[in-house]
Amino acid sequence: MRAQDIDFLIIGAAKSATTWLQKALQADPHVFMPEPELHYFSRYHERGDDWYFRQFEGCRADQIVGEKSNSYLDNPLAPARVQALLPHARLVVQLRNPVERAYSDYCMLYRRGEAGGNIEAELDTRTGRGNRFLNGGLYHDQLTAYLDLYPQDQLLVLFYEDMLADPGRQLAKVRAHLGLLEADPRSVDVKKVKDRTEPMVGRGLRRALGPIKPLVRPFRRHPLFVAARKRLIGEVAYPALSSSLRARLVDYYEPDVARLGNLIQADLSGWLGRAGRGTSFE
């Protein structure tokens, strides 16, 4: 594997159904993507390029090759690292209403036992930059970092809300960007890969079992494992996003959403409960 053999990256945003995009592409035998997320250009860059290239072993000459790591968008070191190794790669980013994205990210860490139940403190806009939940939705600077390094036609910007409305059309945009033939729209599944409404192992037990998770992963499909998990799962009760907290988040994101709209030539005011949205940037 060489750098020039890696054709594309899905770079984020987190909690914007990028895993759905990955699964939809992996259903095509002409696409090769490793699992799980590599996070090479963000969290594990010290492992070196040789390690990164080994993750693509097994791909065929007739496949286009890429990977998905949602941390590549909000990590400030990732854009320069990506461009240095993969200046030719096509990039795909899927964005989501930043308020909903922040709440979804919070819910994910809450059910893992990694975020507390005081949602007002966790999503406190007074903390400003530095808070994971808030920073993940500050898309303007994140996209600018890539557009400063890549031609606009190498970066495809998509929206989570459009995926929900018409998954077939969303996937067709991605496939066209990557130079793939159009897929049969009947084969596109709108079901999200991860859904916070599904019953899960309780957050306390998830936290206690966290250290052994890598050890049991190979047995997740074993009938005994499946049976045991069914006895432990239940519906998670998430702290609610109050109207007052939502209003503070809207105020927090409004300047960034306006700048993002100017950057990508899109009306994004619908995200914050105002006018509709349309885009000409693809």
Side-chain angles (χ1 to χ4, degrees):
M1 172 61 63
R2 302 165 299 170
Q4 55 264 43
D5 297 323
I6 299 174
D7 302 294
F8 71 94
L9 298 179
I10 299 174
I11 60 175
K15 308 309 298 176
S16 298
T18 55
T19 300
W20 176 86
L21 271 182
Q22 178 181 15
K23 297 295 184 184
L25 288 172
Q26 286 176 320
D28 187 332
H30 295 101
V31 177
F32 180 92
M33 298 181 72
E35 291 186 275
E37 291 177 286
L38 302 182
H39 298 295
Y40 173 60
F41 298 104
S42 51
R43 304 173 188 171
Y44 305 121
H45 200 246
E46 76 283 354
R47 295 180 178 180
D49 293 348
D50 288 342
W51 174 88
Y52 183 62
F53 295 145
R54 286 198 299 272
Q55 309 314 304
F56 300 91
E57 291 177 354
C59 65
R60 304 191 312 267
D62 65 336
Q63 293 176 307
I64 70 165
V65 178
E67 61 126 332
K68 188 272 289 189
S69 294
N70 60 30
S71 60
Y72 292 167
L73 185 62
D74 63 7
N75 184 295
L77 298 177
R81 290 171 174 173
V82 171
Q83 199 278 336
L85 189 64
L86 306 175
H88 61 282
R90 291 195 165 270
L91 308 177
V92 178
V93 59
Q94 185 156 272
L95 306 178
R96 181 180 187 179
N97 176 329
V99 176
E100 298 299 335
R101 195 223 67 82
Y103 181 58
S104 179
D105 199 21
Y106 165 76
C107 288
M108 179 181 70
L109 292 197
Y110 175 81
R111 68 173 173 262
R112 290 179 179 176
E114 299 173 18
N118 187 347
I119 188 174
E120 295 279 342
E122 296 285 358
L123 299 182
D124 187 355
T125 58
R126 293 168 297 183
T127 63
R129 294 178 183 268
N131 179 304
R132 163 188 169 140
F133 304 126
L134 301 181
N135 281 5
L138 295 172
Y139 305 133
H140 174 268
D141 288 351
Q142 297 166 6
L143 279 183
T144 297
Y146 279 97
L147 289 171
D148 285 345
L149 298 171
Y150 282 91
Q152 180 173 303
D153 62 3
Q154 279 185 238
L155 177 61
L156 175 66
V157 178
L158 302 169
F159 297 97
Y160 170 90
E161 295 80 9
D162 291 339
M163 181 275 295
L164 293 181
D166 192 339
R169 185 169 185 268
Q170 191 89 326
L171 182 58
K173 289 181 179 181
V174 178
R175 294 180 64 86
H177 184 62
L178 302 182
L180 290 163
L181 296 176
E182 189 169 349
D184 183 347
R186 294 172 297 180
S187 67
V188 180
D189 186 1
V190 71
K191 185 180 184 300
K192 292 170 58 179
V193 176
K194 299 172 184 176
D195 185 347
R196 68 171 178 258
T197 65
E198 292 180 359
M200 298 179 183
V201 175
R203 64 192 300 264
L205 185 56
R206 285 175 65 93
R207 191 170 187 175
L209 296 177
I212 67 170
K213 187 176 179 179
L215 300 177
V216 302
R217 185 175 289 119
F219 307 102
R220 289 177 63 87
R221 298 186 182 279
H222 191 281
L224 291 178
F225 182 94
V226 173
R229 184 177 185 278
K230 286 182 178 180
R231 296 177 64 88
L232 297 173
I233 64 174
E235 186 174 345
V236 179
Y238 297 100
L241 182 63
S242 67
S243 58
S244 59
L245 178 55
R246 181 182 292 275
R248 291 198 299 274
L249 288 169
V250 167
D251 289 342
Y252 178 79
Y253 284 118
E254 190 166 33
D256 188 80
V257 169
R259 292 197 301 154
L260 175 66
N262 290 332
L263 178 68
I264 63 175
Q265 304 169 33
D267 175 10
L268 301 174
S269 53
W271 267 351
L272 304 181
R274 293 171 175 80
R277 177 179 58 75
T279 179
S280 60
F281 183 87
E282 295 181 355

